[in-house]
Amino acid sequence: MELPIYLDNNATTPLDPRVLDAMMPYLTSKFGNAASRSHAFGWIAEEAADLAREQIARLIGCTDKEIIFTSGATEADNLGIKGVYETYQEKGNHIITVNTEHKAVLDTCKHLEKLGARVTYLEVDSEGLINLAELESAISSETILVTVMYGNNEIGVLQPVKEIAAIAHRHGALFMTDATQAVGKIPVNVDEDGIDLMAFTAHKMYGPKGVGALYVRRKNPRVKITAQIDGGGHERGMRSGTLNIPGIVGLGKACELCRLEMDNEGARLSKLRNKLESAFLQTEECYRNGNAEQRLPHVSNISFKYVEAEGLMMAMKGIAVSSGSACTSASIEPSHVLKSLGLPDNLAQAAIRFGLGRFTTEEEIDYTIETTLRAVEQLRSLSPVWEMYKEI
Ligand SMILES: *Cc1c(COP(=O)(O)O)cnc(C)c1O
């Protein structure tokens, strides 16, 4: 076993060597511009992009014409939300989303509020799930878009997207989902789930950074979006700019591998995750954040009460995890997701996210359990608050 151990796969994943192999020729000899129609260099690049579209389409159950390549999920979120807002303004200006979304969605909605949009931010319960009745009462004939993430990046909770989509459609609104953490990890099918637009990215599924896609439904209904980047009219006018062929090839290959390996890999990861989690939950004053059933197989978010996450991470030598907190210049802000669950600051600031991945081994999990619990014990033994708790 080699140190450090990488358990931050929700932030990014390593590139699978098989993905790199697929990409390599497109970084060297097959360097053509997919928009060059007059020679073989261009045709080869275009064929590669077409193959990637098919690989993606097979993973998510759409057609190849419904894929728009972007620079990642942030851009796809922007394109989907702003693109729908601009196109459907005649129908209404209301958008519904959720407090626990990624900043790529929240900040895009905030931007649209400045331009005249009305945005409802639904709250979640203490386990991270939205209330469908609240969605029903927030939605109206003015609502053009309901955008709710598939699986949360910090706590892994899966929203009931199928039910959410049905409610949106019943009121004539479109349903979009940021499925960045779910695509490639669990079965996601745009038809079965009723998804009209969907953002995802390669670097969370063992592909390269800087490439992602927006799925845009073409039938029942035909969804229209307004381009946010204008230029040569690439991607049927919806996203101009020379295609990032090596990245796109990588995204396609990553999707193919995920499709073929998802069942076994999901079972393997949830077993390892459960082993890790149950060791923590058996320890005094350690709590899981988020619903235990409806969630991704590879994430566990645990609050180690009476310990500061920042200090704990430093004490967990050789293990790369994340606290979910955002460090601003002066103070450490607890994550907006954990706050939305109603966690008090002391629990939010004691939270560590463990994100397992394709290259995580059982040996690494055993080491992580041991090292983390030793660090927790050590920090608590130095803590006056812990001492006070023990005396009561
Ligand atoms: C990582 C992530 C993003 C951003 O993806 P990029 O490709 O890095 O822009 C957006 N949404 C969620 C849920 C994510 O986990």
Side-chain angles (χ1 to χ4, degrees):
M1 190 183 69
E2 263 179 61
L3 293 179
I5 294 168
Y6 188 70
L7 285 180
D8 203 10
N9 285 279
N10 292 53
T12 192
T13 53
L15 189 67
D16 190 300
R18 296 169 292 179
V19 173
L20 178 63
D21 283 347
M23 292 168 66
M24 217 46 174
Y26 297 92
L27 289 158
T28 52
S29 56
K30 299 180 178 178
F31 58 82
N33 183 330
S36 300
R37 294 286 149 79
S38 53
H39 51 69
F41 293 89
W43 305 331
I44 287 169
E46 194 185 15
E47 270 168 33
D50 287 345
L51 171 63
R53 282 183 219 281
E54 280 166 31
Q55 288 166 322
I56 298 164
R58 279 190 79 179
L59 177 66
I60 63 170
C62 69
T63 66
D64 51 356
K65 288 198 175 60
E66 294 175 306
I67 300 297
I68 300 170
F69 290 118
T70 66
S71 62
T74 301
E75 189 192 328
D77 282 329
N78 272 265
L79 176 57
I81 297 167
K82 292 175 181 169
V84 164
Y85 180 72
E86 274 191 51
T87 307
Y88 293 86
Q89 262 182 346
E90 304 240 304
K91 181 181 181 287
N93 70 341
H94 185 220
I95 295 171
I96 299 177
T97 187
V98 183
N99 276 335
T100 52
E101 292 290 310
H102 193 272
K103 294 284 181 189
V105 169
L106 292 176
D107 287 352
T108 300
C109 288
K110 279 195 202 125
H111 175 85
L112 291 182
E113 280 183 289
K114 284 189 217 144
L115 302 181
R118 189 166 69 82
V119 181
T120 301
Y121 300 89
L122 297 174
E123 292 183 356
V124 296
D125 65 16
S126 62
E127 300 203 318
L129 289 162
I130 69 160
N131 180 325
L132 294 174
E134 273 171 35
L135 170 61
E136 280 276 5
S137 56
I139 202 165
S140 75
S141 59
E142 298 271 284
T143 310
I144 50 175
L145 181 69
V146 176
T147 181
V148 177
M149 76 198 319
Y150 210 113
N152 186 272
N153 45 302
E154 288 187 38
I155 54 177
V157 169
L158 299 170
Q159 298 292 351
V161 285
K162 212 168 165 168
E163 288 78 7
I164 297 168
I167 293 170
H169 293 154
R170 216 177 314 125
H171 291 85
L174 295 170
F175 175 64
M176 171 166 164
T177 185
D178 176 342
T180 304
Q181 296 287 345
V183 167
K185 316 285 171 53
I186 57 169
V188 171
N189 183 293
V190 292
D191 282 339
E192 278 170 28
D193 293 333
I195 295 164
D196 299 312
L197 301 109
M198 180 168 81
F200 51 101
T201 195
H203 78 97
K204 304 276 173 87
M205 48 197 278
Y206 314 97
K209 290 165 189 58
V211 62
L214 180 69
Y215 157 78
V216 182
R217 180 171 287 283
R218 273 174 52 108
K219 246 184 18 208
N220 307 317
R222 186 185 179 91
V223 177
K224 287 195 195 139
I225 56 169
T226 305
Q228 301 299 309
I229 298 181
D230 297 307
H234 308 77
E235 297 299 86
R236 297 183 313 288
M238 287 189 273
R239 201 281 193 178
S240 288
T242 301
L243 292 189
N244 167 9
I245 295 296
I248 287 166
V249 167
L251 173 58
K253 185 68 185 179
C255 285
E256 183 184 80
L257 294 174
C258 284
R259 180 174 59 82
L260 296 172
E261 297 173 4
M262 182 185 305
D263 290 351
N264 288 334
E265 183 60 4
R268 187 187 76 89
L269 285 177
S270 65
K271 209 170 138 209
L272 285 182
R273 191 268 316 270
N274 294 347
K275 181 176 188 182
L276 180 80
E277 194 174 87
S278 55
F280 294 153
L281 295 181
Q282 280 163 23
T283 306
E284 205 177 356
E285 294 294 306
C286 297
Y287 302 96
R288 170 181 45 237
N289 297 313
N291 187 280
E293 312 298 326
Q294 294 187 48
R295 58 171 169 161
L296 294 163
H298 62 287
V299 198
S300 181
N301 191 305
I302 304 283
S303 286
F304 299 91
K305 202 174 174 187
Y306 304 108
V307 171
E308 287 263 338
E310 304 305 312
L312 178 56
M313 286 194 297
M314 274 195 268
M316 291 164 60
K317 285 198 180 61
I319 302 172
V321 289
S322 140
S323 69
S325 304
C327 294
T328 57
S329 54
S331 64
I332 298 163
E333 276 288 303
S335 99
H336 72 283
V337 173
L338 298 179
K339 267 190 180 164
S340 301
L341 304 185
L343 244 63
D345 279 2
N346 65 336
L347 277 179
Q349 278 163 346
I352 300 276
R353 176 182 71 184
F354 299 86
L356 284 62
R358 185 175 283 169
F359 304 104
T360 305
T361 64
E362 181 150 23
E363 199 186 2
E364 289 178 332
I365 292 301
D366 291 337
Y367 182 90
T368 301
I369 293 171
E370 212 185 288
T371 309
T372 307
L373 291 180
R374 203 183 319 120
V376 168
E377 198 183 329
Q378 185 200 347
L379 290 171
R380 280 178 177 174
S381 72
L382 302 170
S383 153
V385 201
W386 175 253
E387 204 171 299
M388 268 158 61
Y389 160 74
K390 293 302 278 185
E391 277 167 12
I392 292 165

